[in-house]
Amino acid sequence: FIPLYDKIFYVPIEFEMEDDGIRKVDKEFQEEIDAIISNRLFSSSSTFKPDNVLTISGSREERKQFIMSHLV
């Protein structure tokens, strides 16, 4: 079903995670999950259309503005 989405927002690792007691903050685990996701989205065998995958970067406010501008 995912290849049918109009937009997929990819958020690469840019900030240190905050230990909120809920999420894992293990950097190696975080990088492993990011590698799996980015390989699925950007590999040559990906079923996703490149134009549908939007990479988000910048400050939290810049990310929010980017997402909002692509949802309208």
Side-chain angles (χ1 to χ4, degrees):
F1 296 104
I2 291 176
L4 301 177
Y5 287 143
D6 291 333
K7 292 178 177 56
I8 298 172
F9 295 102
Y10 169 64
V11 184
I13 300 169
E14 289 187 334
F15 303 108
E16 292 294 320
M17 294 187 352
E18 296 177 23
D19 189 355
D20 59 8
I22 297 173
R23 297 174 290 174
K24 283 191 164 199
V25 293
D26 181 319
K27 185 76 169 166
E28 188 175 311
F29 176 75
Q30 181 187 22
E31 290 171 348
E32 183 180 328
I33 298 302
D34 182 67
I36 291 168
I37 292 170
S38 60
N39 283 336
R40 295 257 171 106
L41 292 175
F42 301 112
S43 73
S44 58
S45 62
S46 175
T47 58
F48 301 105
K49 296 176 186 174
D51 294 344
N52 291 16
V53 180
L54 304 172
T55 300
I56 302 171
S57 64
S59 70
R60 288 179 173 95
E61 184 60 32
E62 289 169 330
R63 291 174 178 208
K64 176 184 166 188
Q65 292 300 322
F66 182 84
I67 292 169
M68 296 306 288
S69 71
H70 284 84
L71 291 179
V72 287

